[in-house]
Amino acid sequence: MSNCKIIINILCLIFIAKASSDEGYRGSNNFDVLIFTQRWPQTVCYTWKASSPSHTCSLPKEHDEWTIHGIWPSQYHKVGPQFCNKSMPFKPDALKSLKGELQEKWIDVEYGRTSYSLWEHEWKKHGTCAVVLKQLNSEVKYFAEGLNLLAKYDMKNVLAKVNIVPGQKYGTNAILNAIRKVLGKRGVVICRKNKNTGESYILEIRICFNKMLQLMDCDGISEYPTNCDASELVTYPSIVPRYNVVQV
Ligand SMILES: *[C@@H]1O[C@H](CO)[C@@H](O)[C@H](O)[C@H]1NC(C)=O
């Protein structure tokens, strides 16, 4: 075989591989569950600041509020699908009517630079996959549904019902049980560990919905039921934990 033919064959294989990897995503209804993720801004900020001395955070004006991370279509035991349609760019103008509320409740804690970066990221990575559902089939619907879910399932209220409040430490099981007891479904708790002190902080809580946006158990999703260290207490910090910038 001539070099030229070999190159053509290789290009052809690359093309086939690319086409089939896109295939799984195109107009993909290929997910089992919608994961609604709320994040605890104090821990997000801790992580961000610990990664570089130049980093600053935007925190909610109201103290002690959970903020939205995103609505993530997901398959069981997998991450994704993601980035489903490159022809659906993020359009800031589509969110004009929601902007004030999004700036309060879907906060770009880690950046504090460009006002759209978290929203743009969530839209491209997850929103473009969620559009196969009628309730989420546009940018404005995707973000409005996030606000709606936070209003309904705000973890501050859920946890407060069983006296889990910021400024204290709890066992991971106590937090998981609280979600199950108050909402009647099993969720996921995600922790961030302080590498210097070994202390764990609550970072995220994930709850799950079916394609009709009805609450369901999160059994079977990635990281279910937790990534926290079960033998240790988890801090629910009321202020941004002290951090040491990791020296490189
Ligand atoms: C991707 O988005 C574009 C623009 O909205 C749309 O015309 C197209 O049908 C979408 N592709 C799929 C496969 O859903």
Side-chain angles (χ1 to χ4, degrees):
M1 225 189 295
S2 72
N3 278 345
C4 188
K5 268 194 183 150
I6 291 171
I7 289 168
I8 287 169
N9 274 330
I10 289 170
L11 286 177
C12 188
L13 283 175
I14 290 170
F15 181 78
I16 290 168
K18 173 90 174 61
S20 56
S21 76
D22 285 351
E23 201 56 48
Y25 293 118
R26 195 163 300 156
S28 181
N29 201 13
N30 192 12
F31 58 85
D32 304 303
V33 41
L34 294 163
I35 303 171
F36 177 57
T37 299
Q38 301 176 43
R39 51 198 334 215
W40 185 242
Q42 279 75 359
T43 307
V44 178
C45 181
Y46 159 81
T47 308
W48 180 235
K49 285 189 160 179
S51 67
S52 163
S54 67
H55 287 163
T56 57
C57 306
S58 329
L59 292 169
K61 280 197 215 96
E62 301 265 340
H63 202 58
D64 291 346
E65 291 295 339
W66 287 81
T67 183
I68 302 166
H69 192 170
I71 305 172
W72 305 338
S74 185
Q75 294 176 21
Y76 290 126
H77 310 292
K78 282 193 183 154
V79 175
Q82 296 178 341
F83 301 103
C84 293
N85 190 338
K86 294 194 180 80
S87 313
M88 302 185 95
F90 177 75
K91 297 193 182 117
D93 280 355
L95 300 182
K96 256 189 203 146
S97 61
L98 298 179
K99 196 172 169 189
E101 217 182 332
L102 290 171
Q103 281 171 335
E104 279 294 302
K105 307 206 178 280
W106 200 319
I107 299 174
D108 208 352
V109 176
E110 287 145 305
Y111 297 97
R113 297 180 301 206
T114 59
S115 47
Y116 297 118
S117 53
L118 174 64
W119 303 341
E120 180 165 7
H121 175 78
E122 293 300 308
W123 170 250
K124 288 181 178 164
K125 187 169 175 183
H126 306 289
T128 59
C129 304
V131 292
V132 293
L133 303 181
K134 200 168 173 213
Q135 294 104 309
L136 300 172
N137 66 4
S138 71
E139 194 182 306
V140 70
K141 281 183 172 178
Y142 177 80
F143 285 90
E145 189 58 39
L147 293 171
N148 176 41
L149 293 179
L150 184 72
K152 264 187 168 154
Y153 301 105
D154 188 335
M155 280 303 145
K156 182 186 179 176
N157 301 333
V158 169
L159 298 178
K161 280 196 178 131
V162 288
N163 295 317
I164 293 182
V165 292
Q168 307 287 325
K169 293 176 192 232
Y170 299 93
T172 309
N173 275 332
I175 302 169
L176 288 167
N177 288 339
I179 299 164
R180 198 181 55 201
K181 190 170 168 203
V182 175
L183 297 181
K185 301 287 176 195
R186 289 185 286 272
V188 169
V189 176
I190 300 294
C191 288
R192 171 76 71 219
K193 203 167 184 126
N194 180 328
K195 290 201 183 80
N196 297 304
T197 64
E199 194 177 4
S200 282
Y201 310 115
I202 190 164
L203 176 66
E204 290 188 340
I205 291 182
R206 302 177 184 163
I207 56 176
C208 296
F209 294 83
N210 65 18
K211 289 179 179 176
M212 272 116 61
L213 284 159
Q214 294 160 331
L215 196 61
M216 61 183 270
D217 290 317
C218 286
D219 303 42
I221 69 164
S222 163
E223 297 190 279
Y224 174 87
T226 186
N227 74 343
C228 310
D229 190 336
S231 64
E232 284 174 19
L233 294 180
V234 178
T235 301
Y236 183 8
S238 65
I239 54 168
V240 177
R242 268 174 57 98
Y243 58 93
N244 295 316
V245 172
V246 178
Q247 301 292 332
V248 213

